[in-house]
Amino acid sequence: MNHDFHEPGDMHEPLYVTRPYMPPLAEFIPYLEQIWQNRQLTNAGPFHQQLERELANYLGVEHLALFANGTLALVTALQALRITGEVITTPYSFVATAHSLLWNGIKPVFVDIDSVTLNLDPEKIEAAITPQTTAILPVHVYGRPCGVERIQRIADIYGLKVIYDAAHAFGVNESGGSLLRHGDLSVLSFHATKVFTTFEGGAIVCADAKMKARIDHLKNFGFADEVTVVAPGINAKMNEVQAAFGLLQLRHIDEALAGRQRVDALYRELLKDVPGIHCVPHPDSERHNHSYFPILVGSEYPITRDALYEKLREHSIFARRYFYPLISDFPMYRALPSATHANLANAKSAADAVLCLPIYPDLSTQDVTMVTNFIREA
Ligand code: T4K
């Protein structure tokens, strides 16, 4: 045994499914000093404006509107496109995806996922379209790209809008550009658990200035100027401290992504010959962000997924079952005709087998090795 590494039974710090990347505190102080000096705390202040510009530039997108969190950005994206009726979406996501529809009085229609990509299966979308369908709300789960071209073709044929829940897809590129340029709108989350974080936060990405202006009105009560309210907007603004933290994070984002890539590669190497443990394969994207490290626990593995989850917890390794239960199994959704397990067989299998292992930029080789040793010896 290599005693450079923790072995089962060793004491260690708890390991969480993710940890935010924290740049040196000293680098944050000058931003705070500037806020104290100019006393602009929120409402599209200078850091907010700067972060919108810098993020659009970094991500390679036309326009980006910052939000207080990803959920409000999703709710507002649906408002901005005036979506009503029924929307086709995936049950294999964080519950905020479908909740954003209910908050807009829209009926979610769940369609099964592809068993390889774990994203909404484009081949099953058409069968779920009815005269009430107005949009498709797919999710780039774990930052793995959806079948964007196929989805757009279907949307074009049926005159549907496409809103991507891109909460996990910060910085992902495919086919020579940002994944976020697809669809009518894409929505990011900058929550503490995300690759790029502003504590809480989010954004809507859009292609034209007119839409950006509409979104900006909607996130600020509908104000177009001091005396003009053009829509029943909400308060979903990001404040200056969060925007400043975002600017600082952006300075370190490439090293953070490189750290995640290192951890991802190490897991794949150390788990490659463990019977019954299947690492979800890399997507085809040109640049992935390694935002999660999902494994599927197969029937060949000696214990169940839940037994492994508990065993890891006993050793203070807090892996998470993202996404179990399926959204469609929660009480406010399960009576929907599209929520049956028969309709969602691939999603159900994935939800019952998935376990997301700890991944973050500064997770040590020693800790990754310890996690894989526990998995190997279960
Ligand atoms: N769409 C999708 C596809 C999403 O995944 C999400 C959010 C959204 C939309 C909505 O975006 P936001 O409105 O959240 O911006 C977490 C997050 O709260 C949520 O943002 C995220 N998805 C979801 C997948 O995960 P929980 O309840 O599992 O998080 P929690 O508090 O258990 O944190 C997980 C681990 O992360 C902790 O064990 C330790 C670590 N952690 C967490 C926090 C909050 C830290 O190290 N520091 C922290 O500050 O939901």
PDB file of all heavy atoms in Angstrom, residues 5-15 314-317 366-367 370 374:
ATOM      1  N   PHE A   5      -0.916   8.109   0.661  1.00  0.00           N
ATOM      2  CA  PHE A   5      -2.340   8.370   0.483  1.00  0.00           C
ATOM      3  C   PHE A   5      -3.133   7.898   1.690  1.00  0.00           C
ATOM      4  O   PHE A   5      -2.741   6.955   2.371  1.00  0.00           O
ATOM      5  CB  PHE A   5      -2.852   7.656  -0.777  1.00  0.00           C
ATOM      6  CG  PHE A   5      -2.203   8.189  -2.015  1.00  0.00           C
ATOM      7  CD1 PHE A   5      -1.436   7.370  -2.816  1.00  0.00           C
ATOM      8  CD2 PHE A   5      -2.340   9.519  -2.361  1.00  0.00           C
ATOM      9  CE1 PHE A   5      -0.829   7.869  -3.952  1.00  0.00           C
ATOM     10  CE2 PHE A   5      -1.740  10.016  -3.509  1.00  0.00           C
ATOM     11  CZ  PHE A   5      -0.981   9.201  -4.296  1.00  0.00           C
ATOM     12  N   HIS A   6      -4.287   8.600   1.910  1.00  0.00           N
ATOM     13  CA  HIS A   6      -5.189   8.123   2.955  1.00  0.00           C
ATOM     14  C   HIS A   6      -5.683   6.742   2.581  1.00  0.00           C
ATOM     15  O   HIS A   6      -5.920   6.453   1.423  1.00  0.00           O
ATOM     16  CB  HIS A   6      -6.441   9.010   3.041  1.00  0.00           C
ATOM     17  CG  HIS A   6      -6.169  10.397   3.487  1.00  0.00           C
ATOM     18  ND1 HIS A   6      -5.602  10.697   4.681  1.00  0.00           N
ATOM     19  CD2 HIS A   6      -6.436  11.574   2.881  1.00  0.00           C
ATOM     20  CE1 HIS A   6      -5.521  12.010   4.805  1.00  0.00           C
ATOM     21  NE2 HIS A   6      -6.016  12.565   3.712  1.00  0.00           N
ATOM     22  N   GLU A   7      -5.894   5.924   3.544  1.00  0.00           N
ATOM     23  CA  GLU A   7      -6.504   4.620   3.322  1.00  0.00           C
ATOM     24  C   GLU A   7      -7.804   4.584   4.105  1.00  0.00           C
ATOM     25  O   GLU A   7      -7.970   5.325   5.071  1.00  0.00           O
ATOM     26  CB  GLU A   7      -5.570   3.513   3.825  1.00  0.00           C
ATOM     27  CG  GLU A   7      -4.243   3.459   3.095  1.00  0.00           C
ATOM     28  CD  GLU A   7      -4.407   3.228   1.597  1.00  0.00           C
ATOM     29  OE1 GLU A   7      -5.480   2.743   1.178  1.00  0.00           O
ATOM     30  OE2 GLU A   7      -3.470   3.553   0.851  1.00  0.00           O
ATOM     31  N   PRO A   8      -8.735   3.675   3.717  1.00  0.00           N
ATOM     32  CA  PRO A   8      -9.964   3.562   4.476  1.00  0.00           C
ATOM     33  C   PRO A   8      -9.643   3.437   5.967  1.00  0.00           C
ATOM     34  O   PRO A   8      -8.765   2.687   6.359  1.00  0.00           O
ATOM     35  CB  PRO A   8     -10.594   2.280   3.922  1.00  0.00           C
ATOM     36  CG  PRO A   8     -10.087   2.218   2.516  1.00  0.00           C
ATOM     37  CD  PRO A   8      -8.702   2.791   2.565  1.00  0.00           C
ATOM     38  N   GLY A   9     -10.341   4.197   6.778  1.00  0.00           N
ATOM     39  CA  GLY A   9     -10.086   4.166   8.223  1.00  0.00           C
ATOM     40  C   GLY A   9      -9.319   5.380   8.690  1.00  0.00           C
ATOM     41  O   GLY A   9      -9.385   5.756   9.853  1.00  0.00           O
ATOM     42  N   ASP A  10      -8.561   6.024   7.795  1.00  0.00           N
ATOM     43  CA  ASP A  10      -7.827   7.239   8.183  1.00  0.00           C
ATOM     44  C   ASP A  10      -8.796   8.357   8.524  1.00  0.00           C
ATOM     45  O   ASP A  10      -9.894   8.420   7.990  1.00  0.00           O
ATOM     46  CB  ASP A  10      -6.965   7.743   7.013  1.00  0.00           C
ATOM     47  CG  ASP A  10      -5.692   6.932   6.871  1.00  0.00           C
ATOM     48  OD1 ASP A  10      -5.529   5.983   7.655  1.00  0.00           O
ATOM     49  OD2 ASP A  10      -4.900   7.253   5.969  1.00  0.00           O
ATOM     50  N   MET A  11      -8.357   9.282   9.379  1.00  0.00           N
ATOM     51  CA  MET A  11      -9.134  10.493   9.651  1.00  0.00           C
ATOM     52  C   MET A  11      -8.834  11.498   8.542  1.00  0.00           C
ATOM     53  O   MET A  11      -7.716  11.586   8.073  1.00  0.00           O
ATOM     54  CB  MET A  11      -8.720  11.108  10.996  1.00  0.00           C
ATOM     55  CG  MET A  11      -9.053  10.254  12.194  1.00  0.00           C
ATOM     56  SD  MET A  11     -10.809   9.893  12.301  1.00  0.00           S
ATOM     57  CE  MET A  11     -11.428  11.513  12.746  1.00  0.00           C
ATOM     58  N   HIS A  12      -9.835  12.252   8.145  1.00  0.00           N
ATOM     59  CA  HIS A  12      -9.593  13.283   7.132  1.00  0.00           C
ATOM     60  C   HIS A  12     -10.680  14.329   7.241  1.00  0.00           C
ATOM     61  O   HIS A  12     -11.715  14.117   7.876  1.00  0.00           O
ATOM     62  CB  HIS A  12      -9.574  12.657   5.731  1.00  0.00           C
ATOM     63  CG  HIS A  12     -10.900  12.061   5.339  1.00  0.00           C
ATOM     64  ND1 HIS A  12     -11.857  12.758   4.673  1.00  0.00           N
ATOM     65  CD2 HIS A  12     -11.425  10.835   5.566  1.00  0.00           C
ATOM     66  CE1 HIS A  12     -12.916  11.988   4.487  1.00  0.00           C
ATOM     67  NE2 HIS A  12     -12.688  10.824   5.023  1.00  0.00           N
ATOM     68  N   GLU A  13     -10.465  15.456   6.602  1.00  0.00           N
ATOM     69  CA  GLU A  13     -11.479  16.517   6.526  1.00  0.00           C
ATOM     70  C   GLU A  13     -12.664  15.996   5.721  1.00  0.00           C
ATOM     71  O   GLU A  13     -12.465  15.212   4.795  1.00  0.00           O
ATOM     72  CB  GLU A  13     -10.904  17.729   5.794  1.00  0.00           C
ATOM     73  CG  GLU A  13      -9.813  18.471   6.549  1.00  0.00           C
ATOM     74  CD  GLU A  13     -10.356  19.172   7.779  1.00  0.00           C
ATOM     75  OE1 GLU A  13     -11.379  19.871   7.645  1.00  0.00           O
ATOM     76  OE2 GLU A  13      -9.771  19.008   8.865  1.00  0.00           O
ATOM     77  N   PRO A  14     -13.902  16.437   6.041  1.00  0.00           N
ATOM     78  CA  PRO A  14     -15.035  16.007   5.210  1.00  0.00           C
ATOM     79  C   PRO A  14     -14.817  16.424   3.761  1.00  0.00           C
ATOM     80  O   PRO A  14     -14.237  17.474   3.492  1.00  0.00           O
ATOM     81  CB  PRO A  14     -16.227  16.778   5.803  1.00  0.00           C
ATOM     82  CG  PRO A  14     -15.769  17.302   7.107  1.00  0.00           C
ATOM     83  CD  PRO A  14     -14.280  17.350   7.111  1.00  0.00           C
ATOM     84  N   LEU A  15     -15.278  15.586   2.855  1.00  0.00           N
ATOM     85  CA  LEU A  15     -15.204  15.917   1.421  1.00  0.00           C
ATOM     86  C   LEU A  15     -16.621  16.116   0.903  1.00  0.00           C
ATOM     87  O   LEU A  15     -17.467  15.245   1.072  1.00  0.00           O
ATOM     88  CB  LEU A  15     -14.538  14.783   0.640  1.00  0.00           C
ATOM     89  CG  LEU A  15     -13.071  14.510   0.943  1.00  0.00           C
ATOM     90  CD1 LEU A  15     -12.551  13.412   0.018  1.00  0.00           C
ATOM     91  CD2 LEU A  15     -12.240  15.776   0.769  1.00  0.00           C
ATOM     92  N   GLU A 314     -20.461   7.601   5.797  1.00  0.00           N
ATOM     93  CA  GLU A 314     -19.883   7.149   7.082  1.00  0.00           C
ATOM     94  C   GLU A 314     -18.423   7.585   7.201  1.00  0.00           C
ATOM     95  O   GLU A 314     -17.911   7.758   8.289  1.00  0.00           O
ATOM     96  CB  GLU A 314     -19.935   5.620   7.174  1.00  0.00           C
ATOM     97  CG  GLU A 314     -21.298   5.072   7.543  1.00  0.00           C
ATOM     98  CD  GLU A 314     -21.385   3.572   7.247  1.00  0.00           C
ATOM     99  OE1 GLU A 314     -20.330   2.898   7.174  1.00  0.00           O
ATOM    100  OE2 GLU A 314     -22.531   3.098   7.067  1.00  0.00           O
ATOM    101  N   HIS A 315     -17.794   7.739   6.048  1.00  0.00           N
ATOM    102  CA  HIS A 315     -16.385   8.171   6.044  1.00  0.00           C
ATOM    103  C   HIS A 315     -16.259   9.650   5.704  1.00  0.00           C
ATOM    104  O   HIS A 315     -15.211  10.093   5.222  1.00  0.00           O
ATOM    105  CB  HIS A 315     -15.592   7.315   5.056  1.00  0.00           C
ATOM    106  CG  HIS A 315     -15.498   5.883   5.475  1.00  0.00           C
ATOM    107  ND1 HIS A 315     -14.682   5.456   6.490  1.00  0.00           N
ATOM    108  CD2 HIS A 315     -16.167   4.792   5.043  1.00  0.00           C
ATOM    109  CE1 HIS A 315     -14.832   4.152   6.653  1.00  0.00           C
ATOM    110  NE2 HIS A 315     -15.731   3.730   5.790  1.00  0.00           N
ATOM    111  N   SER A 316     -17.347  10.402   5.921  1.00  0.00           N
ATOM    112  CA  SER A 316     -17.350  11.854   5.691  1.00  0.00           C
ATOM    113  C   SER A 316     -17.052  12.225   4.242  1.00  0.00           C
ATOM    114  O   SER A 316     -16.429  13.250   3.964  1.00  0.00           O
ATOM    115  CB  SER A 316     -16.361  12.568   6.618  1.00  0.00           C
ATOM    116  OG  SER A 316     -16.723  12.339   7.940  1.00  0.00           O
ATOM    117  N   ILE A 317     -17.494  11.379   3.313  1.00  0.00           N
ATOM    118  CA  ILE A 317     -17.393  11.722   1.889  1.00  0.00           C
ATOM    119  C   ILE A 317     -18.826  11.934   1.407  1.00  0.00           C
ATOM    120  O   ILE A 317     -19.606  10.982   1.298  1.00  0.00           O
ATOM    121  CB  ILE A 317     -16.697  10.605   1.092  1.00  0.00           C
ATOM    122  CG1 ILE A 317     -15.266  10.418   1.615  1.00  0.00           C
ATOM    123  CG2 ILE A 317     -16.679  10.935  -0.413  1.00  0.00           C
ATOM    124  CD1 ILE A 317     -14.584   9.159   1.135  1.00  0.00           C
ATOM    125  N   GLN A 366      -4.425  13.030  -3.243  1.00  0.00           N
ATOM    126  CA  GLN A 366      -4.568  12.154  -2.084  1.00  0.00           C
ATOM    127  C   GLN A 366      -6.051  11.888  -1.786  1.00  0.00           C
ATOM    128  O   GLN A 366      -6.460  10.748  -1.552  1.00  0.00           O
ATOM    129  CB  GLN A 366      -3.931  12.911  -0.925  1.00  0.00           C
ATOM    130  CG  GLN A 366      -3.659  12.166   0.305  1.00  0.00           C
ATOM    131  CD  GLN A 366      -2.874  13.067   1.271  1.00  0.00           C
ATOM    132  OE1 GLN A 366      -2.210  14.014   0.869  1.00  0.00           O
ATOM    133  NE2 GLN A 366      -2.971  12.774   2.547  1.00  0.00           N
ATOM    134  N   ASP A 367      -6.857  12.921  -1.819  1.00  0.00           N
ATOM    135  CA  ASP A 367      -8.283  12.762  -1.512  1.00  0.00           C
ATOM    136  C   ASP A 367      -9.017  12.003  -2.625  1.00  0.00           C
ATOM    137  O   ASP A 367      -9.877  11.167  -2.336  1.00  0.00           O
ATOM    138  CB  ASP A 367      -8.938  14.128  -1.257  1.00  0.00           C
ATOM    139  CG  ASP A 367      -8.578  14.679   0.119  1.00  0.00           C
ATOM    140  OD1 ASP A 367      -8.219  13.871   1.004  1.00  0.00           O
ATOM    141  OD2 ASP A 367      -8.629  15.909   0.312  1.00  0.00           O
ATOM    142  N   MET A 370      -8.232   8.465  -2.133  1.00  0.00           N
ATOM    143  CA  MET A 370      -8.949   7.897  -0.986  1.00  0.00           C
ATOM    144  C   MET A 370     -10.393   7.562  -1.372  1.00  0.00           C
ATOM    145  O   MET A 370     -10.899   6.486  -1.059  1.00  0.00           O
ATOM    146  CB  MET A 370      -8.940   8.890   0.175  1.00  0.00           C
ATOM    147  CG  MET A 370      -9.706   8.382   1.370  1.00  0.00           C
ATOM    148  SD  MET A 370      -9.790   9.599   2.670  1.00  0.00           S
ATOM    149  CE  MET A 370     -10.628  10.930   1.869  1.00  0.00           C
ATOM    150  N   PHE A 374     -12.091   3.747  -1.357  1.00  0.00           N
ATOM    151  CA  PHE A 374     -13.320   3.339  -0.665  1.00  0.00           C
ATOM    152  C   PHE A 374     -14.269   2.658  -1.651  1.00  0.00           C
ATOM    153  O   PHE A 374     -14.931   1.675  -1.328  1.00  0.00           O
ATOM    154  CB  PHE A 374     -14.017   4.549  -0.029  1.00  0.00           C
ATOM    155  CG  PHE A 374     -13.441   4.942   1.308  1.00  0.00           C
ATOM    156  CD1 PHE A 374     -12.956   6.224   1.530  1.00  0.00           C
ATOM    157  CD2 PHE A 374     -13.403   4.036   2.359  1.00  0.00           C
ATOM    158  CE1 PHE A 374     -12.431   6.598   2.762  1.00  0.00           C
ATOM    159  CE2 PHE A 374     -12.882   4.394   3.601  1.00  0.00           C
ATOM    160  CZ  PHE A 374     -12.389   5.685   3.797  1.00  0.00           C
TER     161      PHE A 374
END
